[in-house]
Amino acid sequence: MAERSFAEEVKKLRLGAGEEFSGEGILAITKALLQCGVGYVGGYQGAPISHLMDVLADAQDILGELGVHFEASASEATATAMLAASVHYPIRGAATFKSTVGTNVASDALANLASGGVTGGALIICGEDYGEGSSIMQERSHAFAMKSQVWLLDPRPNLPSIVKAVEDGFELSEASNTPVMMEVRIRCCHVHGQFIAKDNKRPAMTVTEALSSPRRDTGRIVLPPASFLHEKEKVEKRWPAAVDFIRRNKINEFFGAEIGSVGIVMQGGMYNAVIRALQRIGLADNFGDTQIPLYVLNAVYPLVDDEFLAFCEGKDAVLVVEEGQPNYIEQAFAAMLHKAGRDTKLVGKEYLPMAGEYTGQVMLDGLGAFLRAEAPHMLPAAVRAPNKTGNGHEIPDLSRVVPGRPPGFCTGCPERPIFAATKLVEKELGKHHIASDIGCHLFSIMPPFELGATTMGYGLGPASASAFNSPDAKKRSISFVGDGGFWHNGLTSSIGNAVFNRNDGVIVVVDNFYSAATGGQDILSSRASNRSKSTKHPITQAVKGMGVKWVRHIDRTYDVSKMRATLKEALTTEEKGPKVIVASSECMLNRQRRERPLLDKAIKGGETVVKPKFGVDEDICTGDHACMRLSGCPSLSVKSLDDPLRDDPVAHIDQSCVGCGNCGEVADAAVLCPSFYRADTVHNPGGWERFLDRFRRKAIGVLQRFRESRRLTFADA
């Protein structure tokens, strides 16, 4: 069950020539693929590109009608290797994944694909996840394009430019026999707009037709001596062909005045931010007309020497707007100017941060500083003074005012009790080295749990603990891996590695039935039926198949006592070899997405529905908040009482509670105060429920009157 269904939106993919397409960037990319006659698409989900996989999954009927093969790949390497279908056959293929973690995983396949080259167009759509809102290490895709000699497009963030980039990408790939990468940032993926659609095309050759007429060309296979010839071909044939295509088809764009004393060169993806900053300064209008000459690189690799040198003609200074580090583009342009003997001053990171996201304020400050230094005569009087914005007011540093909000588990998350149990075990057995992994469970490194020392990559949690496999150790390491990471890379690189090397550590596989962190896509071990994918393959069977002897399965992680006992057993057993605990419970977000509409429908239909909710008895709660230090649920907060004799706020459960019961389970397992209670809200009660309610009220009334009479008796005495 994906995070969001695009069943309605995908209907727009049927629009024909001349009709106006309206929607967001992800949907526009999908439509562009179909208009280009793509023959097959593969990929792996990951922000900000996850929704592209979800759209393709919801559009399988349309893809089937066109003869397009779609596959949710096991990993980014799988998706890139899939593009091998374009090596010998004139079939257009596309792969999509998050970058740079995706390009890291895919780099082996990418290098081989780029070496042999392609016959059909091969397009890799990378979600460029760079900036403060990213969940990954801060790197760029650019280095991978340069390393493997594949061409890199970076379109302006508007729908016509995005669609054109997909079309240009396929044509550039075919013209130069080289794979092409297209990077799209989060704003590009989710920007809304319109473009005029074209008819969808059936592939010139489908993969089915290719299977009927096998082809091979030894010169395309990466083996000596061909591999050496590939390198020469890249430089002598493919590169010139790519540069010629980019120049001839005017992939890069020029805006603003034709002449000027200064100019700005930028990655295409930076265009909107540059224009917005110029608007705020007063040098551009709401339609993008600017007084500063702009050179927009929709193709950031390879660069076109004569285009750039022509742009610099007559300019005293040029600013390069290149987000991230190293500044590959700025260095390349500096070399061009030096070789051409030009005296145009080239600047970039002098005015813009060497690293970090170019937000609106960063861009405004950088462009303002550049223009004050190099062209002060062009600036309105209000912005000539340093450190001023377009309206002349200082912008406060919000990081000093607004408290940080670290990431955490969702309300009712079934992974929270796993880490509550881990904390309880550590309280009894002492601290252990804990290796974390990529996924929702990585939030355990944050308060209140503060567990986990490292995270080395998707599915590599147990592998990152392998160095601690010491025969003299008095404690075992603990490592975590999610079900998504387990199937992506963990089964071989972590579980198989642990078996082969007789690792004695404890491995916890956090199984929430989906690739939850990437949006809730189905995976091999998902419990749901999927019309086009094979699911319901137990992780325990895969683990045993790899040779693990000590395996335990917990099918309800909310049982904190059982989770704690199992983890303690794994840490203290005399049995050698890896100990694997598969801790399973459905992702609460996906469960709520599935169950809430059904419950609402049942209630409206007059059916009896019972909804559990938990609360805290204020008279019993002591206010020590130990429950929060072992739970951290967003619905578990504090409440101040009106009682003047009780200064400390008590625990309180708000209306966001989903009734998972974790707080009560933790309180019971940790022997905390028994202040938690469960209350069932009954909608449309039947005769039996009404009878029980009357009986309970009468029984409670009798007990209350009995207690009151005893109180009065003691008072009289």
Side-chain angles (χ1 to χ4, degrees):
M1 176 186 290
E3 180 177 77
R4 174 184 168 191
S5 171
F6 290 85
E8 287 300 315
E9 288 91 335
V10 297
K11 294 177 181 177
K12 298 178 182 179
L13 299 178
R14 297 186 183 277
L15 293 176
E19 297 182 272
E20 185 179 76
F21 182 103
S22 177
E24 68 172 345
I26 289 287
L27 206 63
I29 292 173
T30 314
K31 175 60 175 167
L33 290 173
L34 300 182
Q35 292 179 173
C36 289
V38 70
Y40 62 97
V41 186
Y44 193 86
Q45 59 274 358
I49 208 74
S50 292
H51 288 169
L52 182 52
M53 296 297 294
D54 298 336
V55 169
L56 288 165
D58 286 335
Q60 287 189 73
D61 290 342
I62 299 174
L63 299 179
E65 293 168 10
L66 293 170
V68 179
H69 174 65
F70 165 65
E71 202 168 278
S73 307
S75 71
E76 297 85 356
T78 308
T80 307
M82 187 181 181
L83 293 173
S86 294
V87 171
H88 298 299
Y89 303 93
I91 310 175
R92 287 183 167 182
T96 176
F97 43 75
K98 174 192 186 85
S99 187
T100 59
V101 288
T103 39
N104 286 337
V105 175
S107 59
D108 193 9
L110 180 62
N112 281 277
L113 182 72
S115 182
V118 294
T119 301
L123 182 67
I124 301 170
I125 303 164
C126 285
E128 188 74 350
D129 195 10
Y130 184 87
E132 191 175 354
S134 170
S135 62
I136 60 170
M137 77 294 289
Q138 295 296 279
E139 294 182 357
R140 298 166 57 196
S141 306
H142 203 107
F144 288 90
M146 295 172 66
K147 173 189 75 68
S148 294
Q149 294 289 282
V150 302
W151 318 136
L152 181 61
L153 302 181
D154 187 358
R156 287 194 294 134
N158 63 73
L159 263 58
S161 295
I162 295 169
V163 171
K164 184 176 183 297
V166 174
E167 297 169 346
D168 291 338
F170 279 121
E171 293 177 10
L172 173 59
S173 176
E174 291 163 344
S176 61
N177 301 117
T178 304
V180 172
M181 294 172 65
M182 184 178 87
E183 59 180 3
V184 283
R185 296 168 178 79
I186 187 168
R187 292 179 179 85
C188 193
C189 289
H190 301 303
V191 67
H192 281 253
Q194 299 81 32
F195 69 93
I196 302 303
K198 300 177 182 177
D199 290 332
N200 295 333
K201 294 181 182 177
R202 287 187 62 84
M205 173 185 281
T206 66
V207 289
T208 302
E209 292 167 346
L211 281 170
S212 300
S213 303
R215 300 181 184 180
R216 67 183 301 274
D217 178 0
T218 306
R220 292 286 185 197
I221 302 173
V222 187
L223 278 174
S227 51
F228 174 73
L229 297 176
H230 294 163
E231 190 70 5
K232 292 190 65 178
E233 183 182 315
K234 285 179 182 179
V235 176
E236 296 175 358
K237 295 182 179 179
R238 299 186 205 170
W239 185 301
V243 170
D244 180 66
F245 181 91
I246 293 167
R247 182 195 299 112
R248 185 163 33 85
N249 291 277
K250 299 181 179 179
I251 304 300
N252 299 321
E253 299 173 285
F254 298 89
F255 297 98
E258 291 187 7
I259 57 173
S261 61
V262 296
I264 302 175
V265 182
M266 73 208 69
Q267 297 165 290
M270 295 286 98
Y271 172 81
N272 288 7
V274 170
I275 283 293
R276 177 58 180 149
L278 292 175
Q279 287 174 356
R280 294 174 69 184
I281 291 172
L283 295 177
D285 61 20
N286 292 333
F287 300 98
D289 292 330
T290 169
Q291 300 174 37
I292 305 292
L294 305 180
Y295 178 32
V296 182
L297 301 171
N298 293 311
V300 293
Y301 189 77
L303 299 171
V304 183
D305 296 47
D306 53 3
E307 273 189 1
F308 172 69
L309 294 173
F311 177 75
C312 292
E313 190 72 39
K315 294 181 175 60
D316 298 324
V318 169
L319 174 70
V320 179
V321 178
E322 178 182 8
E323 187 178 54
Q325 185 271 339
N327 52 344
Y328 301 114
I329 298 173
E330 184 180 342
Q331 292 178 34
F333 281 152
M336 291 179 195
L337 288 172
H338 175 72
K339 289 181 179 180
R342 299 291 185 86
D343 57 0
T344 301
K345 183 179 180 181
L346 188 74
V347 294
K349 300 300 183 181
E350 293 91 339
Y351 297 106
L352 291 161
M354 189 65 180
E357 184 177 2
Y358 287 178
T359 61
Q361 188 60 44
V362 168
M363 191 72 77
L364 179 63
D365 293 341
L367 266 61
F370 166 70
L371 293 170
R372 279 192 295 272
E374 306 296 342
H377 61 281
M378 299 187 69
L379 292 171
V383 293
R384 286 178 189 168
N387 300 321
K388 296 285 184 178
T389 62
N391 56 18
H393 297 295
E394 296 282 353
I395 299 294
D397 184 357
L398 294 182
S399 65
R400 299 179 180 179
V401 182
V402 180
R405 189 182 70 173
F409 295 103
C410 302
T411 301
C413 177
E415 300 183 9
R416 186 179 287 107
I418 298 173
F419 300 106
T422 306
K423 293 290 284 187
L424 291 172
V425 169
E426 284 204 325
K427 185 177 181 181
E428 184 177 353
L429 301 180
K431 291 187 177 297
H432 290 69
H433 176 81
I434 298 178
S436 300
D437 206 313
I438 305 299
C440 298
H441 46 89
L442 184 57
F443 296 148
S444 63
I445 68 171
M446 307 301 291
F449 301 115
E450 297 182 294
L451 296 168
T454 55
T455 171
M456 289 290 106
Y458 202 26
L460 296 177
S464 65
S466 58
F468 297 96
N469 185 30
S470 171
D472 302 322
K474 295 181 174 60
K475 287 185 178 179
R476 289 172 173 144
S477 66
I478 304 173
S479 57
F480 291 91
V481 60
D483 47 356
F486 174 86
W487 293 115
H488 178 276
N489 192 24
L491 181 59
T492 54
S493 297
S494 285
I495 304 297
N497 181 73
V499 172
F500 183 71
N501 289 291
R502 298 182 178 179
N503 195 299
D504 198 39
V506 176
I507 300 171
V508 181
V509 182
V510 182
D511 172 25
N512 54 33
F513 302 5
Y514 309 93
S515 181
T518 60
Q521 293 82 9
D522 283 335
I523 52 180
L524 275 163
S525 52
S526 294
R527 310 291 177 91
S529 298
N530 189 306
R531 63 171 181 161
S532 61
K533 302 292 182 289
S534 179
T535 55
K536 303 179 182 179
H537 299 282
I539 292 175
T540 51
Q541 290 187 14
V543 168
K544 291 175 182 177
M546 290 298 288
V548 179
K549 305 299 182 185
W550 196 101
V551 181
R552 301 289 185 271
H553 185 208
I554 297 174
D555 209 32
R556 181 178 174 273
T557 61
Y558 297 104
D559 190 339
V560 178
S561 295
K562 184 176 180 181
M563 187 71 222
R564 177 181 62 176
T566 306
L567 188 55
K568 182 180 177 181
E569 180 192 357
L571 290 168
T572 58
T573 180
E574 294 295 325
E575 187 167 340
K576 299 299 181 181
K579 268 67 67 176
V580 175
I581 302 171
V582 181
S584 303
S585 275
E586 184 178 14
C587 167
M588 184 56 73
L589 280 181
N590 272 24
R591 180 177 173 183
Q592 292 294 314
R593 291 189 190 106
R594 187 184 70 254
E595 291 184 352
R596 275 181 178 170
L598 298 177
L599 292 175
D600 291 343
K601 182 179 180 181
I603 292 171
K604 290 178 181 179
E607 298 179 35
T608 300
V609 175
V610 179
K611 287 186 176 182
K613 180 174 172 55
F614 283 77
V616 176
D617 191 322
E618 298 172 0
D619 294 330
I620 299 176
C621 177
T622 61
D624 69 349
H625 307 146
C627 54
M628 298 178 189
R629 291 191 289 273
L630 285 172
S631 171
C633 181
S635 68
L636 186 58
S637 58
V638 294
K639 176 182 179 182
S640 298
L641 300 177
D642 294 330
D643 189 344
L645 300 178
R646 301 183 65 184
D647 296 332
D648 294 332
V650 298
H652 174 70
I653 298 177
D654 64 28
Q655 293 301 312
S656 65
C657 172
V658 295
C660 71
N662 177 57
C663 50
E665 294 272 1
V666 169
D668 180 63
V671 196
L672 300 175
C673 62
S675 59
F676 290 91
Y677 66 83
R678 169 175 167 164
D680 291 339
T681 302
V682 183
H683 298 265
N684 304 319
W688 174 246
E689 287 79 17
R690 294 180 185 278
F691 169 76
L692 284 177
D693 181 61
R694 289 193 299 269
F695 176 78
R696 288 168 179 154
R697 289 178 184 273
K698 288 181 179 180
I700 292 172
V702 170
L703 293 172
Q704 287 176 332
R705 288 192 294 272
F706 176 71
R707 184 179 65 175
E708 183 66 16
S709 65
R710 285 175 59 84
R711 188 184 68 80
L712 293 174
T713 300
F714 284 121
D716 292 340

